[in-house]
């Protein structure tokens, strides 16, 4: 069975500090990994996906198949980064049904 | 373009009653997904439509839940009769057609269901 684990419910940092939101997954095939974000009073939206290998809003995430991890990183956190972050996995069936982690709330203080 | 819309935004019902949630996907999106987040737990997949056909309903918790997508446009999710454990936020998402996991899913704002 596929599973996504986000060990931290809450991560609190100061503005300008580095951020790392952890995500580990369990899947027997070749999954696609995503990070979704939900800002206050907004809907869930895609932040980035591993296949794109891009940086969005200063965030990056590298898929480490050996450690089955897909941690989200940003070198310098901003207050506007405060949000709920969800790591998600899509199997290799061809359809993008998502399996989510429980989410990590990131709070960036001034 | 208008995003995914869901109605109602919040529903409070008593145990045993029936509730119907509605989702309008982005126009032209063939794929429509329903997810649910129960308090304290992760967002879980319920089912997936491709146009009007159910592609995968493996996440539906039991036969009290019935989803339809007549005509391949909007979808409804009916809970009958509702139980306390059905309380949570129900999300709908849509994506373009085709068997591709590259198709980004766009989420609606969710319907918060409270069963008393």
């Amino acid at each position: 069975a596929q599973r996504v684990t986000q060990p931290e419910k809450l991560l609190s940092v100061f503005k300008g500090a580095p951020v790392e939101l952890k995500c580990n997954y369990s899947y027997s095939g070749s999954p696609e990994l995503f990070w979704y974000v939900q800002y206050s009073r907004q809907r869930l939206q895609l932040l980035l996906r591993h296949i794109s290998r891009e940086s969005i809003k200063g965030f990056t995430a590298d898929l480490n198949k050996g450690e089955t991890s897909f941690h989200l990183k940003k070198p310098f956190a901003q207050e506007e980064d405060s949000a709920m972050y969800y790591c998600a996995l899509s199997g290799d069936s061809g359809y993008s049904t998502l399996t989510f982690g429980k989410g990590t709330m990131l709070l960036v203080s001034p | 373009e208008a995003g995914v819309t869901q109605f109602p935004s919040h529903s409070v019902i008593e145990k045993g009653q029936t509730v119907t949630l509605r989702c309008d996907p982005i126009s032209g999106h063939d794929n429509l997904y329903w997810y649910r987040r129960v308090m304290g737990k992760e967002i879980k997949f319920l089912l997936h439509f491709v146009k009007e056909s159910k592609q995968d309903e493996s996440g539906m918790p039991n036969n009290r839940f019935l989803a339809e997508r007549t005509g391949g446009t909007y979808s409804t999710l009916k809970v009958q009769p509702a139980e306390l454990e059905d309380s949570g936020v129900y999300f709908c998402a849509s994506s373009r057609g085709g068997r591709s996991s590259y198709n980004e899913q766009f989420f609606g704002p969710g319907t918060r269901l409270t069963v008393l």
Side-chain angles (χ1 to χ4, degrees), chain B residues 84-102:
Chain B
L84 299 179
E85 62 264 25
D86 300 332
S87 296
V89 181
Y90 290 76
F91 294 100
C92 175
S94 73
S95 68
R96 293 197 312 268
R99 284 177 55 91
S100 172
S101 53
Y102 294 104

Side-chain angles (χ1 to χ4, degrees), chain A residues 20 41 45:
Chain A
E20 182 179 52
R41 287 188 283 278
Q45 57 186 284

Side-chain angles (χ1 to χ4, degrees), chain A residues 32 34 36 38 43-46 49 51 84 86 90-103, chain B residues 3-4 31 33 35 37 40-43 45 48 50 55 91 98-105 107-109:
Chain A
E32 288 200 43
F34 306 83
Y36 277 80
Q38 189 169 24
R43 59 188 65 193
L44 200 61
Q45 57 186 284
L46 179 65
R49 68 184 85 187
I51 199 78
M84 193 73 174
Y86 295 93
S90 173
D92 50 11
S93 67
Y95 286 105
S96 47
T97 300
L98 296 169
T99 298
F100 286 91
K102 289 187 178 182
Chain B
V4 177
N31 292 302
Y33 303 82
Y35 295 88
R37 183 178 64 212
K41 299 196 173 181
E42 62 270 24
I43 300 169
F45 165 77
H48 168 210
V50 177
Q55 177 65 32
F91 294 100
R99 284 177 55 91
S100 172
S101 53
Y102 294 104
N103 291 335
E104 177 181 347
Q105 290 187 37
F107 281 78

Side-chain angles (χ1 to χ4, degrees), chain B residues 16-43:
Chain B
Q17 290 186 320
T18 298
V19 63
T20 300
L21 314 180
R22 174 172 169 142
C23 169
D24 286 79
I26 293 172
S27 177
H29 279 193
D30 289 341
N31 292 302
L32 188 150
Y33 303 82
W34 283 99
Y35 295 88
R36 176 175 74 170
R37 183 178 64 212
V38 173
M39 184 175 290
K41 299 196 173 181
E42 62 270 24
I43 300 169

